[in-house]
Amino acid sequence: MIEVYIDGASAGDPGQSGAGIFIKNNGDNYSYSIPLGMKENHEAEFLACIKALQICKEKNYSVLSFRSDSQAVVNAVEKEFAKNKKYRPLLEQILLLSKEFDLFFIKWIPSKENKRADELARKAIHLNIEDPDE
């Protein structure tokens, strides 16, 4: 089973944002810092999940265990419903992508267990600032 730690961060709400993705696969680790441009914090969290699913699809993974410290994302995915209408299209993308895998789990974890993904998301914020065209 592939363990995927995800986090979104925003410098302001909205502000420059980034996604942090840390993947553990049988002793191999992969780290991603993806700049997202101007987004709200919750948007960045949902987009981090989408980006991680896309990466897992490219890598042909089949059994995924996602971990996030975002209760908004975890609850929305588990209930297949987002209270805020603004996030429903993002949730729909997550649900569609997640169905392309043999097994997909998502679990809430405390922030202290998601430090690597958080560091990667914060690094991605600075990548926006260094190259605002991306």
Side-chain angles (χ1 to χ4, degrees), residues 8-125:
S10 183
D13 202 16
Q16 293 292 340
S17 299
I21 301 162
F22 182 62
I23 299 174
K24 294 167 91 173
N25 177 15
N26 297 326
D28 292 326
N29 296 331
Y30 304 94
S31 298
Y32 300 87
S33 289
I34 302 169
L36 300 173
M38 293 293 286
K39 303 285 182 226
E40 293 177 0
N41 191 58
H42 283 313
E43 270 182 292
E45 299 275 9
F46 278 93
L47 288 167
C49 190
I50 291 167
K51 298 286 187 189
L53 285 164
Q54 291 168 339
I55 290 167
C56 291
K57 185 177 170 187
E58 288 170 14
K59 291 185 170 288
N60 294 315
Y61 295 151
S62 61
V63 179
L64 306 174
S65 177
F66 272 45
R67 285 97 193 263
S68 173
D69 60 15
S70 170
Q71 289 184 329
V73 171
V74 172
N75 289 341
V77 173
E78 286 179 341
K79 295 176 183 175
E80 297 187 2
F81 178 77
K83 287 181 187 176
N84 189 326
K85 289 180 184 178
K86 182 176 188 171
Y87 305 127
R88 289 181 186 162
L90 298 173
L91 175 60
E92 288 303 315
Q93 268 189 278
I94 291 168
L95 295 175
L96 281 172
L97 283 166
S98 69
K99 289 179 183 9
E100 295 184 31
F101 299 94
D102 293 341
L103 285 172
F104 170 77
F105 303 98
I106 191 164
K107 172 183 165 182
W108 179 83
I109 58 172
S111 297
K112 67 182 179 187
E113 292 179 27
N114 206 28
K115 286 185 179 173
R116 183 68 183 128
D118 178 65
E119 290 167 2
L120 293 165
R122 293 183 188 286
K123 177 181 174 187
I125 290 171

